[in-house]
Amino acid sequence: MRSNLTTTALIAALIWGLGTLPAPAATPPSDSPDPGAAPTCAASRQGPVDKSDVPAGVDVVDCRLVGRVISDEDSGLSAPVPSPGETVSVEGLSVDGRSELTVAVDESGTITYPADHHADTGASQSVAVLAGLKTASVGPSECRQTAYRTTGWKVYGNFPWWVGDGARPAGLSTKQFRSVISRSASTITSSRNDCGLGDVVGATHSSRGSTTKEYGHRDHVNVIDFGPLPRKMAGLTTTWSVKHAGRNKVVESDIRLNRNGFAWTTSPGSSACRNRIDVQSVLTHELGHTFGLGHVSNRSYPRMTMSDVVEPCSSSARLLGKGDVRGLAALY
Ligand SMILES: [Zn+2]
C-alpha cells in the first residue's frame, strides 16, 4: 500500500458496505400459470439452472432467477444469478488451463453472458504480448516478461476478508491459513516481486477473523476457504462487481481452494514435495483476480503469477512477475 493513500483507503473502507445494491423486490408468488408469461422463463423451478435454459435477454427478475445457480456445461463452472446492476465472474485455475464464466444482469434485469467480461465494463482489455513474445525466445524469466491482462474490475480502497470454517487439509490450522492468506494478499497490495519493481497498488486488504459463510454466495462477506470444487480445479475466485467510473468496483470476492481434489503443501520447495500444490502460490493468483488481474497463458508465461496453469511443488506464483506488476500498475 502507498502510505499517502491511507485516507482514501479509510474512506473507501467506510463505504465498502454501502456500495452494494439492495436485493430486488420479490415477485409475488403465483400458483397458477400466467398466460402472459414470457416463453423464455423455461428454467426448472428448483436446483441449479442450466445456462442453456436461460439465454441472453431473459429478464431474471420476472423469471425469479436472481440468486439461483446457473451451471455452464462448457466451462464446468457455476455462478449465482446476480441482482440487477451486478456482474459476477468466476475464474478457475486448474492443472490444464483456465476456465471462466461471467454472468451480467443490467439495471433492467436483463441477463447477458459477456464472452469477454472485459468488454462490458467500458474498461479496455490490456494485453501486452509483443514485449513478452520478444523475450520468450531467451527463456522464461518473470522479470523480463511483461504480459498481463486485466479483468475490468478493481478494488477501491480496502478489501476485508474472512477465513471460512470449511475442512482444510490436515495440518493447516486456522492460524496458519490466515497467515498464508495475509502474505498472499500483501503480495498483491504491496506489489511484491523480485524484479526490483516498486509498489504500484493504492489499495489495501485486512483480515477480519473467521466466518461460517461459504464461498460463492452473495452475502457481503469476502470468504476464503477450502471446500469441494469441480475436478481439476485447484482454485476458484468468484467476484461480484458494479459499474463505476473507470473500472467496475468489486463489491464481493470469494475464493475457494479444492479440498479433496488436490494434495496441498506450504513447503513446495521441500525435497519431500511430490505432486503437492502450494497454498500460498494459488492464493496469490486468486487474490490477483480479486484485485483485477486476468490470466496469461502458461505456455508463453509460465513464471507469471497470473499464468493459467498451476504446477505442483512450485512456488513461483508467490512473487509477482514483471507482467503482473505492470497489470497492477495499469489498474491502480
Ligand atoms: Zn486464475
Side-chain angles (χ1 to χ4, degrees), residues 225-237:
D225 70 6
F226 273 89
L229 281 186
R231 207 169 67 84
K232 288 189 176 177
M233 292 289 170
L236 282 189
T237 301

Side-chain angles (χ1 to χ4, degrees), residues 94-297:
S94 81
V95 288
D96 59 4
R98 75 188 73 174
S99 299
E100 295 164 2
L101 170 65
T102 294
V103 183
V105 175
D106 71 15
E107 298 289 352
S108 70
T110 303
I111 194 168
T112 54
Y113 304 96
D116 178 344
H117 54 67
H118 315 269
D120 73 322
T121 62
S124 60
Q125 179 184 359
S126 307
V127 184
V129 291
L130 287 177
L133 287 174
K134 272 186 213 155
T135 54
S137 58
V138 298
S141 164
E142 60 185 343
C143 296
R144 285 196 294 273
Q145 297 186 334
T146 56
Y148 67 86
R149 282 174 76 216
T150 56
T151 57
W153 63 75
K154 63 181 275 188
V155 170
Y156 289 84
N158 184 52
F159 179 74
W161 51 267
W162 283 256
V163 177
D165 65 353
R168 282 185 290 273
L172 186 66
S173 69
T174 301
K175 191 180 166 194
Q176 283 174 312
F177 189 37
R178 181 178 292 117
S179 130
V180 174
I181 297 168
S182 194
R183 278 200 298 276
S184 305
S186 291
T187 296
I188 302 297
T189 59
S190 301
S191 317
R192 276 188 202 146
N193 65 88
D194 52 6
C195 305
L197 301 168
D199 181 6
V200 297
V201 178
T204 56
H205 76 92
S206 53
S207 169
R208 294 287 171 85
S210 301
T211 181
T212 55
K213 303 274 196 220
E214 274 196 67
Y215 163 84
H217 298 276
R218 179 77 176 95
D219 49 23
H220 306 264
V221 174
N222 303 309
V223 184
I224 302 179
D225 70 6
F226 273 89
L229 281 186
R231 207 169 67 84
K232 288 189 176 177
M233 292 289 170
L236 282 189
T237 301
T238 296
T239 303
W240 290 263
S241 64
V242 296
K243 287 204 187 306
H244 191 279
R247 317 265 175 178
N248 267 21
K249 174 186 174 177
V250 174
V251 291
E252 181 172 345
S253 186
D254 292 348
I255 293 171
R256 169 162 287 181
L257 306 187
N258 192 333
R259 167 70 180 85
N260 301 317
F262 291 84
W264 294 89
T265 183
T266 52
S267 311
S270 153
S271 56
C273 184
R274 297 277 182 278
N275 279 321
R276 287 180 176 271
I277 305 292
D278 179 34
V279 179
Q280 187 178 334
S281 292
V282 174
L283 280 174
T284 308
H285 173 103
E286 302 304 338
L287 283 155
H289 288 315
T290 296
F291 281 81
L293 294 177
H295 288 129
V296 294
S297 130

